[in-house]
Amino acid sequence: MRKPPIRATVTAVSHYAPDKVLSNFDLEKMVDTNDEWIRARTGIRERRILENGATSDLAVPAIREILEQRGIGPDEIDVLVVTTVTPDMFFPSTACVIQEKLKLQNAWGFDLSAACSGFLYGLVVGAQFIESGTHKKVLVVGADKMSAITDYTDRNTCILFGDAAGAVLLEPSEDYEAGLLDHVMYCDGSGGEFLYMKGGGSLNPPTHETVDKKYHYIYQDGKAVFKVAVVGMADVSEEIMKRNNLTGDNVDWLVPHQANLRIISACADRMNLAIEKVMLNIDRYGNTTAATIPLCLSEWWKDGKLLKDQNLILSAFGAGYTWGAMYLKWTMDNA
Ligand code: UT7
């Protein structure tokens, strides 16, 4: 394992979720489904929906809070990495839109697309800027307005997704033995046929036909993705624990991507981790794609449950397929 000369660590964390709640009971009135099925199969009770605005409008309040929490000005940010599959537009990037909205005048930035693994990919990329010594303050944001690409007549997918954003600030760590200590990342494009949005890109530019065929919505073969996700997330979590000599006893929190409670439980079982050590908020937000992991970190830290020096395993699986895990030792003072 390569040891960087400088460690990156999280020095601020925040999230934003819109106020409007879409409950399972609301969905019962829209498609042929029911609260009991959704809770039993996924663990979701409700999700949040952004009625007006775009993905940048989810990210902006989260970043504003980061600046306040850290007591820094917008001009102090060096890089902005926005992980999303629902950018405001194809171009300019959502990073550029946010840079202008918040006047991050000394930052450059870009969007990164890795679906539900987006935030982990973003953390790994953001850490490189710190570890190389070239940048001091890197914002990594996971933000998705999944309601913009969800077909609310398709019960297979519309029950799953919600809108939210989460963000962290990465800075060089004073403690070399803490911060983002290790990661294992994967992708396998052979999984592309099971979870995608076909339309709008150069393969299927928008036409009346692509709209009629619903190419601009998420398609998922849930059963196929479930089978691979349940093994993939558990495998990668176990792999990162083994190579860092971690066990279920010395891991304090599993911070999993929130796609399905059953996938998360299987992952915790494989890690020999009690479910009490798993950050879970899928019941309140559903699957917010790139936002799930920072949304957990932010809520747990603000609730005083995520404490300095705790060992965290972050783990995700998503479209692509993309997946991975990270070992993070938390360095923020207690909230
Ligand atoms: O985040 C990125 C990665 N994504 C994931 O990790 C998601 C992975 N997949 C899943 O989480 C699960 O596959 C789902 C939650 C999407 C579906 O659960 P499942 O246990 O795999 O259900 P299923 O698709 O096999 O459907 C079982 C039955 C079917 O009926 P029949 O064919 O047995 O008669 C479905 O038609 O449930 C039916 N069904 C529903 N019933 C009520 C499917 N959706 C619904 C629904 N309400 N919303």
Side-chain angles (χ1 to χ4, degrees), residues 33 37 41 116 155 220 222-223 257 259-260 262-263 287:
T33 191
W37 190 96
R41 298 288 177 127
C116 294
R155 70 175 184 173
Q220 176 171 247
K223 209 171 265 186
H257 169 56
N260 188 311
R262 291 180 289 147
I263 296 175
N287 183 349

Side-chain angles (χ1 to χ4, degrees), residues 19 44 71 88 90 105 122 183 248 259 264-265 320:
D19 292 335
I44 303 168
D88 287 20
F90 260 175
Q105 60 199 54
H183 61 263
I264 298 171
S265 304

